[in-house]
Amino acid sequence: MRIDLHAHTTASDGAFTPTGLVDHAAEQGVDVVAVTDHDTVAGCAEAAIAAAGTGVRVVAGIEVSAWQDGMGVHVVGLFVDTADPAFLERLDAFRRERAERARLMVERLNALGLTLSFEDVLAQAGDAVLARPHVARALVASGLVPDIRAAFSDDLLGDGGPAHVPRDGTSPSQAVDLIRSAGGVGVLAHPGCGRSRDGRAGIPDDVVEALAAGGLAGIEVDHPQHPPPVRERLRAMADRLGLVPVGSSDCHGPRDDRGARLGTCTTDPEAFAMLRSLRPARRG
Ligand code: MN
Ligand code: MN
Ligand code: MN
């Protein structure tokens, strides 16, 4: 039983359509795949339909972008109700904030002498949720920078760069609450990645401890970007805090610089069952 609880589709920044992701799961021998697009559940329904009769089981999910002390913290939500009206309304508000943020980044790039329009960015995003990578791709497509790496430099769109507009809207604990309000469970995504303000790698322990006390269900231990010593440390931390250890590929496509292939990291069936059992009871 191969269970991969973190994957993206064209509903956000993934290369696979939701149907394509399910087909890929079948090809790769992945039995359970969670569709976890950035701040949207728009790909879940198509994936569920595509999975019918294939033997692949789709978990409806999301990856919520949150911020804590200027550091991006991602929380994966699993088993969310993709038809919950209050949940969808909150996600819509996120989308409006993201569009506003992209617009501001374009303004700042213009002020730096780079002539890019908001429409250029929209063209890159298509139907997907607007995000900084789309601004970066628009810069490349317009020939204003040589590659994505240059767009994400400290001189432009990198964290703290002059054209970067950080999103400070949602805290990780609010993300966990939002996921729980939609009937799901929260899993802290790739806590070994990123850098906090004091320059230390990964999400600080006290942040994880507070989330664990506040209803977080699981934590990604096995992730393609976690080196073995980080996994060891996170496994011990999961054990200490009573968090379910999760393994996920964070797949963004068939072969992707930023990600890994589906099923590269997987979650134990017992851990998966434990996550399911932690779904909050819902009224009505
Ligand atoms: Mn992504
Ligand atoms: Mn992430
Ligand atoms: Mn992800």
Side-chain angles (χ1 to χ4, degrees):
M1 185 80 155
R2 297 180 71 214
I3 302 166
D4 190 336
L5 298 179
H6 186 161
H8 295 268
T9 75
T10 47
S12 64
D13 58 352
F16 288 120
T17 63
T19 301
L21 179 68
V22 171
D23 291 346
H24 188 65
E27 281 163 24
Q28 298 288 309
V30 171
D31 305 284
V32 179
V33 60
V35 176
T36 58
D37 281 302
H38 297 287
D39 295 330
T40 180
V41 292
C44 294
E46 183 190 314
I49 291 165
T54 63
V56 174
R57 179 163 154 206
V58 167
V59 173
I62 190 165
E63 181 175 16
V64 178
S65 304
W67 290 88
Q68 172 98 33
D69 304 323
M71 182 189 198
V73 178
H74 289 180
V75 183
V76 164
L78 302 171
F79 314 113
V80 291
D81 177 355
T82 59
D84 183 287
F87 181 50
L88 294 175
E89 172 47 44
R90 282 288 300 280
L91 298 181
D92 253 352
F94 283 174
R95 218 172 336 266
R96 290 193 293 271
E97 283 167 31
R98 275 176 173 266
E100 189 47 39
R101 183 171 158 240
R103 214 181 279 280
L104 272 169
M105 284 192 267
V106 168
E107 274 178 23
R108 292 187 183 184
L109 289 167
N110 291 344
L112 291 167
L114 297 165
T115 46
L116 191 75
S117 72
F118 185 60
E119 286 66 33
D120 294 333
V121 177
L122 284 179
Q124 292 297 322
D127 291 334
V129 174
L130 263 188
R132 187 166 39 157
H134 301 124
V135 183
R137 278 187 230 160
L139 279 174
V140 178
S142 307
L144 294 164
V145 299
D147 53 29
I148 294 288
R149 204 189 162 84
F152 271 103
S153 75
D154 293 343
D155 303 325
L156 293 174
L157 291 170
D159 286 341
H164 177 224
V165 180
R167 207 186 87 183
D168 265 310
T170 311
S171 73
S173 89
Q174 285 172 324
V176 171
D177 289 347
L178 175 66
I179 289 160
R180 287 175 58 86
S181 76
V185 298
V187 174
L188 186 60
H190 44 69
C193 301
R195 210 159 272 281
S196 59
R197 254 183 196 153
D198 61 8
R200 290 170 47 130
I203 311 285
D205 285 10
D206 60 327
V207 172
V208 183
E209 282 158 15
L211 289 173
L216 184 74
I219 184 168
E220 285 181 356
V221 169
D222 293 307
H223 183 281
Q225 289 179 51
H226 288 166
V230 169
R231 296 184 191 198
E232 231 166 274
R233 185 175 70 75
L234 290 171
R235 209 176 304 281
M237 186 181 219
D239 203 39
R240 176 167 66 83
L241 298 177
L243 294 169
V244 177
V246 172
S248 306
S249 68
D250 202 352
C251 174
H252 279 72
R255 52 184 74 80
D256 192 321
D257 305 345
R258 294 163 300 127
R261 281 166 184 257
L262 197 69
T264 303
C265 296
T266 56
T267 298
D268 286 338
E270 306 80 60
F272 180 59
M274 181 68 81
L275 286 173
R276 273 184 64 87
S277 74
L278 290 171
R279 286 176 298 171
R282 301 182 80 197
R283 281 169 296 169

PDB file of all heavy atoms in Angstrom, residues 6 8 38 63 250 252, ligand 3:
ATOM      1  N   HIS A   6       0.558  14.419  -0.462  1.00  0.00           N
ATOM      2  CA  HIS A   6       0.853  15.814  -0.804  1.00  0.00           C
ATOM      3  C   HIS A   6       1.252  15.880  -2.280  1.00  0.00           C
ATOM      4  O   HIS A   6       2.334  15.435  -2.646  1.00  0.00           O
ATOM      5  CB  HIS A   6       1.995  16.324   0.104  1.00  0.00           C
ATOM      6  CG  HIS A   6       2.313  17.778  -0.033  1.00  0.00           C
ATOM      7  ND1 HIS A   6       3.024  18.467   0.961  1.00  0.00           N
ATOM      8  CD2 HIS A   6       2.061  18.685  -0.991  1.00  0.00           C
ATOM      9  CE1 HIS A   6       3.171  19.731   0.589  1.00  0.00           C
ATOM     10  NE2 HIS A   6       2.606  19.880  -0.601  1.00  0.00           N
ATOM     11  N   HIS A   8       0.430  18.298  -6.155  1.00  0.00           N
ATOM     12  CA  HIS A   8      -0.184  19.476  -6.786  1.00  0.00           C
ATOM     13  C   HIS A   8      -0.685  19.169  -8.188  1.00  0.00           C
ATOM     14  O   HIS A   8      -0.185  18.257  -8.844  1.00  0.00           O
ATOM     15  CB  HIS A   8       0.833  20.621  -6.833  1.00  0.00           C
ATOM     16  CG  HIS A   8       1.219  21.100  -5.469  1.00  0.00           C
ATOM     17  ND1 HIS A   8       0.565  22.127  -4.849  1.00  0.00           N
ATOM     18  CD2 HIS A   8       2.151  20.660  -4.597  1.00  0.00           C
ATOM     19  CE1 HIS A   8       1.089  22.311  -3.650  1.00  0.00           C
ATOM     20  NE2 HIS A   8       2.055  21.428  -3.470  1.00  0.00           N
ATOM     21  N   HIS A  38      -2.245  24.658  -3.635  1.00  0.00           N
ATOM     22  CA  HIS A  38      -2.049  25.849  -2.799  1.00  0.00           C
ATOM     23  C   HIS A  38      -3.351  26.648  -2.692  1.00  0.00           C
ATOM     24  O   HIS A  38      -3.833  27.206  -3.679  1.00  0.00           O
ATOM     25  CB  HIS A  38      -0.965  26.751  -3.394  1.00  0.00           C
ATOM     26  CG  HIS A  38       0.397  26.114  -3.442  1.00  0.00           C
ATOM     27  ND1 HIS A  38       1.163  25.914  -2.320  1.00  0.00           N
ATOM     28  CD2 HIS A  38       1.125  25.640  -4.474  1.00  0.00           C
ATOM     29  CE1 HIS A  38       2.309  25.336  -2.660  1.00  0.00           C
ATOM     30  NE2 HIS A  38       2.311  25.160  -3.963  1.00  0.00           N
ATOM     31  N   GLU A  63      -3.212  22.778   0.466  1.00  0.00           N
ATOM     32  CA  GLU A  63      -2.005  23.231   1.166  1.00  0.00           C
ATOM     33  C   GLU A  63      -2.192  24.716   1.433  1.00  0.00           C
ATOM     34  O   GLU A  63      -2.159  25.529   0.500  1.00  0.00           O
ATOM     35  CB  GLU A  63      -0.732  22.980   0.343  1.00  0.00           C
ATOM     36  CG  GLU A  63       0.538  23.426   1.084  1.00  0.00           C
ATOM     37  CD  GLU A  63       1.838  23.083   0.364  1.00  0.00           C
ATOM     38  OE1 GLU A  63       1.808  22.766  -0.845  1.00  0.00           O
ATOM     39  OE2 GLU A  63       2.896  23.148   1.029  1.00  0.00           O
ATOM     40  N   ASP A 250       5.229  15.777  -2.264  1.00  0.00           N
ATOM     41  CA  ASP A 250       5.037  17.184  -2.652  1.00  0.00           C
ATOM     42  C   ASP A 250       5.226  17.312  -4.167  1.00  0.00           C
ATOM     43  O   ASP A 250       5.776  18.292  -4.667  1.00  0.00           O
ATOM     44  CB  ASP A 250       6.012  18.086  -1.903  1.00  0.00           C
ATOM     45  CG  ASP A 250       5.564  19.538  -1.828  1.00  0.00           C
ATOM     46  OD1 ASP A 250       4.560  19.896  -2.479  1.00  0.00           O
ATOM     47  OD2 ASP A 250       6.236  20.321  -1.139  1.00  0.00           O
ATOM     48  N   HIS A 252       5.058  18.024  -7.972  1.00  0.00           N
ATOM     49  CA  HIS A 252       4.538  19.136  -8.785  1.00  0.00           C
ATOM     50  C   HIS A 252       4.461  18.766 -10.266  1.00  0.00           C
ATOM     51  O   HIS A 252       4.103  19.604 -11.085  1.00  0.00           O
ATOM     52  CB  HIS A 252       5.408  20.383  -8.631  1.00  0.00           C
ATOM     53  CG  HIS A 252       5.123  21.191  -7.385  1.00  0.00           C
ATOM     54  ND1 HIS A 252       5.478  20.760  -6.136  1.00  0.00           N
ATOM     55  CD2 HIS A 252       4.522  22.400  -7.214  1.00  0.00           C
ATOM     56  CE1 HIS A 252       5.112  21.688  -5.243  1.00  0.00           C
ATOM     57  NE2 HIS A 252       4.523  22.676  -5.868  1.00  0.00           N
TER      58      HIS A 252
HETATM   59 MN    MN B   3       3.309  21.559  -1.810  1.00  0.00          MN
END
